Amino acid sequence: MTHRVTQRGITAGAATAVAAAALTLLSTGAAHAAPDSVTWTDRVATVTRTVSDATPKAGDTITVTTKFERGTSPDLQLNWLRDFHDACLTYVTDSAKVNDGTGDKPVEPYLEIRPGFVAGDFTATSYRVTVKAGGPVTFTVRYTVGTSCTRGTPLSSGSAFGSSLGQGDYNSYGPFVTVAKDGGDGGGVSTGSLGSLLGTGSSK
């Protein structure tokens, strides 16, 4: 038995409202990004690492941000920072930036790029990276998710750094990225569903 929904008897105002609701559902389904972050504190600084999408698909580009904060003096000078990632992620050229509150500064060409990490050498740059009390510093880098990434399994992630006040090695602290399995994002609205909402589709 086939049931066809028509727009007959629906007022213009109601039709507009239904269309708006359908578009809202579409936009909600498309926005599948799920940011995640982890924070820890050691004797040197409070570190927060954030990933723009913890459940990306192969081919997506994600942004990883590492923020350093201090609550008291003395100032902390960062000498180097290593951003660990799974080897199936590929660094996006020229994406590494550091910001001390005065704007983004490029890290290349003083950036070591390896399959499992990228590392910025701030002793070689023309600027110095200083974390002051109440003045956070962020290191941002972008990666492309490769087709070789294992699906549905958390990938390794973390950071390490050297500074004027000591070193820290947190290469497995996360946040962890889990590449979505094939078969769609599971959150979208099909054109058939949209047609039904607008009164132009059919279902059996």
Side-chain angles (χ1 to χ4, degrees), residues 72-92:
T72 61
S73 296
D75 294 344
L76 169 73
Q77 181 174 305
L78 278 178
N79 296 326
W80 56 268
L81 186 147
R82 186 172 292 175
D83 191 270
F84 292 96
H85 60 84
D86 193 278
C88 72
L89 303 182
T90 301
Y91 168 70
V92 176

Side-chain angles (χ1 to χ4, degrees), residues 57 180-186:
K57 296 179 182 178
K181 295 181 179 180
D182 294 334
D185 59 20

Side-chain angles (χ1 to χ4, degrees), residues 4 18 20 24 27 31 54-55 59 87 93 106 123 130 135 146 148-149 154 164 170 175 179 183 195 200:
R4 179 176 294 277
V18 171
T24 299
S27 62
T55 57
T93 303
T123 64
T130 304
S148 63
C149 290
S164 57
Y170 306 96
V179 180
T200 59

Side-chain angles (χ1 to χ4, degrees), residues 49 83-91 113-118 143 155-158 171:
R49 252 182 128 248
D83 191 270
F84 292 96
H85 60 84
D86 193 278
C88 72
L89 303 182
T90 301
Y91 168 70
I113 303 171
R114 299 283 185 172
F117 69 84
V118 297
Y143 299 106
L155 306 179
S156 59
S157 174
N171 61 74

Side-chain angles (χ1 to χ4, degrees), residues 32-170:
H32 68 280
D36 194 15
S37 65
V38 61
T39 299
W40 67 88
T41 300
D42 65 8
R43 61 185 181 83
V44 172
T46 295
V47 183
T48 300
R49 252 182 128 248
T50 303
V51 61
S52 61
D53 189 357
T55 57
K57 296 179 182 178
D60 286 352
T61 298
I62 60 175
T63 302
V64 178
T65 302
T66 303
K67 180 172 68 174
F68 291 84
E69 297 176 284
R70 278 186 65 78
T72 61
S73 296
D75 294 344
L76 169 73
Q77 181 174 305
L78 278 178
N79 296 326
W80 56 268
L81 186 147
R82 186 172 292 175
D83 191 270
F84 292 96
H85 60 84
D86 193 278
C88 72
L89 303 182
T90 301
Y91 168 70
V92 176
T93 303
D94 292 328
S95 67
K97 310 290 182 184
V98 65
N99 192 317
D100 60 0
T102 61
D104 287 340
K105 298 178 176 65
V107 182
E108 293 185 43
Y110 308 106
L111 184 73
E112 182 181 3
I113 303 171
R114 299 283 185 172
F117 69 84
V118 297
D121 180 4
F122 305 126
T123 64
T125 57
S126 60
Y127 55 83
R128 293 295 170 262
V129 181
T130 304
V131 185
K132 301 180 179 181
V137 167
T138 58
F139 176 84
T140 304
V141 64
R142 301 176 71 200
Y143 299 106
T144 299
V145 180
T147 56
S148 63
C149 290
T150 303
R151 308 297 201 272
T153 300
L155 306 179
S156 59
S157 174
S159 66
F161 63 88
S163 74
S164 57
L165 300 180
Q167 298 186 6
D169 189 355
Y170 306 96

